[in-house]
Amino acid sequence: NMLIDDMLNMSRIEAGKLTFDIETFDFKELVTDVADTFKYTEITHEIIKELPAGQIVVKADRQRLEQVLINLIGNAIKYSPKKEKIKVSLQIEDDMVTFRVKDYGIGLTAEQQRQLFSRFYRAESMNNISGLGLGLYLAKQIIVRHGSDIQVSSEFGKGSEFYFSLPLIEMTGS
């Protein structure tokens, strides 16, 4: 089902028909829910959450951002097979909230980082790890459609950190 959804979403993106349902919601709650879901399905890794107190309200497509979070956290787990920890964090700076997911796994070369968000890109050294190379392509398209960009910082053999920012509507209870 996920493969079919990814293929359909890729087709919609290319046709300019990927729809977005923009709403105001607590992004921290979404991050917490997605991270907690992985706690029950991926017992090999501990997901450490570093989240500020209170609500972090954004105006975005909740379902599409959930898709991005699932992809990024799932990849962090998938590409750090011999490590136990993944770090998920939210940082507030000025009027932006930045989501970060950091793994301590196999990392990426500079060349892999340049091609990473291309459609169907699969790094040569990743042949033993399943995937079609659509997840990061779709994640980037979704974040770009939200007026931002998704980025990666990585060192081969030491892990990767993926991150993106969204405009902060309000922060309460901090």
Side-chain angles (χ1 to χ4, degrees), residues 22-40:
I22 304 299
E23 61 183 296
T24 302
F25 64 95
D26 183 356
F27 186 52
K28 184 178 114 181
E29 178 183 44
L30 177 62
V31 170
T32 300
D33 289 348
V34 171
D36 287 349
T37 299
F38 277 98
K39 277 198 310 193
Y40 301 110

Side-chain angles (χ1 to χ4, degrees), residues 10 14 115-122 132-134 137:
M10 183 189 67
E14 291 177 347
Q115 298 183 57
L116 196 57
F117 298 101
S118 302
R119 185 179 49 165
F120 297 118
Y121 177 73
R122 297 276 301 148
L132 286 178
L134 282 178
Y137 168 78

Side-chain angles (χ1 to χ4, degrees), residues 54-70:
Q55 289 187 323
I56 298 172
V57 180
V58 299
K59 189 172 186 177
D61 185 313
R62 182 183 178 98
Q63 183 179 355
R64 298 285 181 206
L65 288 182
E66 179 179 21
Q67 181 181 354
V68 170
L69 298 178
I70 289 170

Side-chain angles (χ1 to χ4, degrees), residues 156-172:
F156 190 72
K158 296 192 176 182
S160 302
E161 182 176 50
F162 287 81
Y163 54 97
F164 64 87
S165 298
L166 297 169
L168 181 65
I169 300 299
E170 76 176 295
M171 186 170 171
T172 61

Side-chain angles (χ1 to χ4, degrees), residues 103-115:
D103 69 62
Y104 303 91
I106 57 181
L108 298 159
T109 66
E111 178 60 25
Q112 289 169 333
Q113 290 178 58
R114 277 191 289 280
Q115 298 183 57

Side-chain angles (χ1 to χ4, degrees), residues 83-141:
K83 304 295 179 182
E84 313 79 41
K85 296 184 188 298
I86 304 294
K87 187 168 106 176
V88 171
S89 64
L90 288 175
Q91 298 168 324
I92 306 296
E93 188 171 322
D94 299 324
D95 57 349
M96 301 294 284
V97 56
T98 301
F99 169 83
R100 296 178 179 275
V101 59
K102 181 172 181 56
D103 69 62
Y104 303 91
I106 57 181
L108 298 159
T109 66
E111 178 60 25
Q112 289 169 333
Q113 290 178 58
R114 277 191 289 280
Q115 298 183 57
L116 196 57
F117 298 101
S118 302
R119 185 179 49 165
F120 297 118
Y121 177 73
R122 297 276 301 148
E124 291 172 18
S125 62
M126 310 299 176
N127 290 336
N128 61 333
I129 298 175
S130 67
L132 286 178
L134 282 178
L136 289 176
Y137 168 78
L138 292 172
K140 181 169 182 81
Q141 299 306 312

